[in-house]
Amino acid sequence: MLSRSLKLTAAVPLAGPMLPCICRRSLAHVANLEDIPTARDIQKPIARRPMLTLKVFKEDDKPFSVPIAEDSFDTYHLDPPPYLVETTKRELKQLYRDMSLIRRMELAADGLYKDRKIRGFCHLSTGQEAVAVGIEHALTKHDKLITAYRSHGFTLMRGGTVKSIIGELLGRRDGISYGKGGSMHMFCESFFGGNGIVGASVPLGTGIAFAQQYNDANNVTINLYGDGAANQGQVFESFNMAKLWNLPVIFGCENNKYGMGTSVERASAMTEYYKRGQFIPGLRINGMDVLAVLSAVRYGKKFAQAGNGPLVYEYLTYRYAGHSMSDPGIAYRSREELKEQRANDPISSLKQRLIEWGVFSEEDAKSIDKEVRSKVNDEVAEAEKMPEPDTKPDILFEDIYIGSQNASFSKQIAEIQDLLQKSGLKYQMTATGTAVGLFTQVGPGRSCLAVSRVIGYAHTLIHQEGIPRIQTDIRMTTRTDKEQPMEGSMLSVERMLAT
């Protein structure tokens, strides 16, 4: 059910070529048609809904269909997805469990950050769980997904564990990115992150979809970004290429109504992001309803697999917390707004419906909640016991792609360090990414020739065949009564490095 603040004032007219309407095809799988709650009943606030019972099958894995609200979708050059979702008791209970697991994990991360155990950036998705869970349940592990920096829930759904995600946030060696990625850079099979640069993941996702098409893989790419990235040029360039080549990609704008602290109305002249593709069909989805998300992504996947090209989805959702842990989230929105949105909570809403439909009881829900809480507490405790990465070059340069060569890059760095030690020079060597910095001090009476030999040898190692050029930054000083630059040295060094 869309809240009043999210719901459109009028339906979007259909235009352009249409897909065959398949909204009612799953009616035959319903156990008892007379007992299905209508879509109009589902639209009502939880407190005002009649207690309706859906006679589902006793077996956990026998399929039947459940309805979703009539205002779950708004379309652009596209017929709507089915308003009946085929599912099973097992899947419905798993949807509830998965959303609860993400929520509990994010709350644990919140507590660890406030205890100053997690440092740096930390972007929580509390309130947006239905998007990550609904998408994942419509995919296979062969489908690809890439998103922006609010990625903890997607990481969990794609195959990460609570322990590996919390370990990464804590900067531990056994974190999902070995403690080097933090909140914004988590990866696993078929999941391409977690990307910290706003909007930069969209062209990457388009490339992933191109690779799938090129390799004749009958799969799709889910390419997600936030409303704060929706106005960037690279997003529209990606739209153009995807449509030009009819790539199997579903672009998805997670519209949580605020880009950092700026509302979408203040940032965008047109806030109907699902229409931004112009020549690409679009769909706006109630992202607070996991069943609506599930139905929409199933529908979109079939659309793309049929060779129809890309889609632009907009998931209307809401984050309860601030943009990041440094943002209390109340300076730009009222407490009344937060209260209204929490009344539309995706987990509570699904729980109430599953109880009404007879999928599980209130006691069953409490049992799941207890199991999830225990699981998260146990895995957080294990994550806190993980060791930190060793501060060694072998660890620092691990997993950095530098091409093919006989010796590993970390071994080359060790050889440079060994030569520097033999030279008798005082030095400090640092490295980040593919840039190496040599900081040397030349004392009185020591020949600059030794420095030149060290630099020349390092240059030879770093630029041997098969290794891409690595920027080498050299700083040399003399130490007499006071430290001062060695005049003329940098010019000669630069000439040598240019050869």
Side-chain angles (χ1 to χ4, degrees):
M1 180 187 71
L2 291 174
S3 68
R4 289 184 180 178
S5 59
L6 296 180
K7 185 177 177 181
L8 286 178
T9 55
V12 179
L14 299 177
M18 299 298 176
L19 294 178
C21 183
I22 55 175
C23 301
R24 300 181 182 274
R25 65 180 179 181
S26 53
L27 283 171
H29 298 288
V30 179
N32 190 330
L33 292 178
E34 296 178 355
D35 292 307
I36 302 175
T38 66
R40 189 163 298 168
D41 290 325
I42 301 302
Q43 288 176 331
K44 296 176 182 178
I46 293 174
R48 301 208 311 266
R49 290 181 195 162
M51 288 298 295
L52 300 170
T53 302
L54 179 65
K55 291 184 179 178
V56 299
F57 294 107
K58 292 182 179 180
E59 298 89 339
D60 275 352
D61 296 315
K62 194 165 185 178
F64 59 95
S65 294
V66 295
I68 56 177
E70 292 175 355
D71 62 351
S72 294
F73 310 118
D74 292 293
T75 63
Y76 174 71
H77 298 316
L78 186 71
D79 277 349
Y83 287 89
L84 285 170
V85 181
E86 184 173 286
T87 185
T88 64
K89 288 178 66 176
R90 187 182 303 279
E91 182 177 43
L92 289 171
K93 287 185 282 189
Q94 190 64 43
L95 290 170
Y96 177 77
R97 184 186 183 278
D98 287 344
M99 287 198 293
S100 300
L101 190 62
I102 294 175
R103 174 72 58 85
R104 184 60 58 178
M105 180 182 71
E106 295 288 57
L107 292 175
D110 178 273
L112 290 168
Y113 194 97
K114 290 173 180 175
D115 289 340
R116 299 187 177 183
K117 294 180 179 179
I118 294 174
R119 300 299 182 95
F121 292 104
C122 187
H123 303 88
L124 305 181
S125 59
T126 313
Q128 299 182 209
E129 297 87 356
V131 178
V133 174
I135 288 175
E136 184 60 35
H137 279 256
L139 304 179
T140 71
K141 293 302 180 183
H142 297 291
D143 298 311
K144 313 300 182 184
L145 191 147
I146 187 170
T147 187
Y149 45 78
R150 203 175 304 279
S151 61
H152 304 166
F154 292 104
T155 308
L156 186 65
M157 287 296 95
R158 289 269 80 188
T161 64
V162 172
K163 181 170 67 175
S164 67
I165 293 168
I166 295 296
E168 186 60 35
L169 294 174
L170 292 167
R172 302 303 169 86
R173 174 65 174 162
D174 294 329
I176 198 165
S177 295
Y178 309 109
K180 300 177 183 179
S183 176
M184 298 185 287
H185 306 101
M186 301 183 184
F187 309 89
C188 56
E189 187 175 356
S190 294
F191 177 58
F192 294 81
N195 294 268
I197 306 301
V198 175
S201 59
V202 181
L204 298 179
T206 306
I208 294 166
F210 178 79
Q212 287 182 305
Q213 184 189 72
Y214 185 84
N215 291 324
D216 293 323
N218 190 28
N219 300 108
V220 300
T221 297
I222 304 297
N223 194 351
L224 299 166
Y225 56 96
D227 53 271
N231 297 319
Q232 291 200 0
Q234 59 188 331
V235 174
F236 292 94
E237 291 176 32
S238 299
F239 287 172
N240 181 64
M241 286 188 287
K243 184 59 179 178
L244 185 65
W245 300 328
N246 264 353
L247 300 182
V249 55
I250 302 176
F251 297 99
C253 175
E254 281 190 273
N255 180 6
N256 61 21
K257 300 188 68 180
Y258 294 94
M260 296 186 71
T262 304
S263 68
V264 294
E265 291 81 10
R266 293 178 59 209
S268 299
M270 196 270 267
T271 60
E272 294 171 313
Y273 296 111
Y274 67 108
K275 297 181 179 179
R276 291 288 190 90
Q278 293 180 289
F279 34 76
I280 301 176
L283 182 70
R284 174 180 269 176
I285 304 152
N286 177 10
M288 303 299 275
D289 183 353
V290 67
L291 295 175
V293 175
L294 174 62
S295 178
V297 178
R298 281 180 180 173
Y299 178 73
K301 180 177 177 178
K302 290 179 181 178
F303 179 94
Q305 286 178 318
N308 295 310
L311 290 167
V312 176
Y313 277 11
E314 176 185 354
Y315 303 94
L316 276 177
T317 184
Y318 197 84
R319 57 169 165 82
Y320 299 151
H323 168 73
S324 67
M325 286 300 300
S326 60
D327 170 25
I330 56 174
Y332 48 86
R333 54 187 182 177
S334 67
R335 296 186 184 276
E336 289 73 21
E337 178 181 317
L338 284 166
K339 184 178 180 181
E340 178 184 354
Q341 295 298 335
R342 284 183 179 275
N344 192 32
D345 182 74
I347 301 176
S348 299
S349 177
L350 180 65
K351 173 184 173 181
Q352 184 65 30
R353 278 183 283 173
L354 297 189
I355 292 172
E356 290 177 2
W357 295 341
V359 174
F360 62 29
S361 66
E362 182 75 47
E363 290 304 312
D364 292 332
K366 289 180 179 178
S367 178
I368 293 173
D369 294 341
K370 182 178 179 180
E371 183 265 328
V372 165
R373 188 181 301 109
S374 176
K375 177 181 177 62
V376 170
N377 290 342
D378 290 346
E379 295 203 27
V380 168
E382 291 180 33
E384 290 193 78
K385 296 176 183 177
M386 290 177 180
E388 295 183 354
D390 293 333
T391 54
K392 302 188 304 185
D394 281 347
I395 302 300
L396 180 63
F397 290 99
E398 188 180 53
D399 302 315
I400 293 178
Y401 178 77
I402 57 172
S404 59
Q405 68 275 349
N406 295 328
S408 69
F409 189 64
S410 57
K411 183 178 179 182
Q412 297 169 34
I413 296 300
E415 290 176 358
I416 296 171
Q417 289 178 311
D418 182 62
L419 186 64
L420 284 166
Q421 289 170 351
K422 290 178 179 178
S423 72
L425 296 171
K426 295 180 180 180
Y427 73 95
Q428 179 185 1
M429 190 170 184
T430 62
T432 56
T434 56
V436 176
L438 290 175
F439 299 88
T440 67
Q441 290 182 348
V442 183
R446 187 168 298 282
S447 171
C448 291
L449 183 60
V451 179
S452 297
R453 286 175 178 169
V454 169
I455 296 169
Y457 182 68
H459 177 267
T460 302
L461 281 174
I462 293 172
H463 295 289
Q464 63 180 264
E465 184 177 357
I467 301 177
R469 181 171 178 84
I470 298 174
Q471 180 183 355
T472 308
D473 185 17
I474 311 297
R475 296 289 183 271
M476 293 190 297
T477 62
T478 58
R479 181 175 295 280
T480 53
D481 292 336
K482 60 182 180 179
E483 189 172 308
Q484 61 182 9
M486 181 184 294
E487 295 181 3
S489 296
M490 283 306 300
L491 185 59
S492 61
V493 169
E494 288 172 359
R495 280 201 299 267
M496 183 180 66
L497 290 176
T499 60

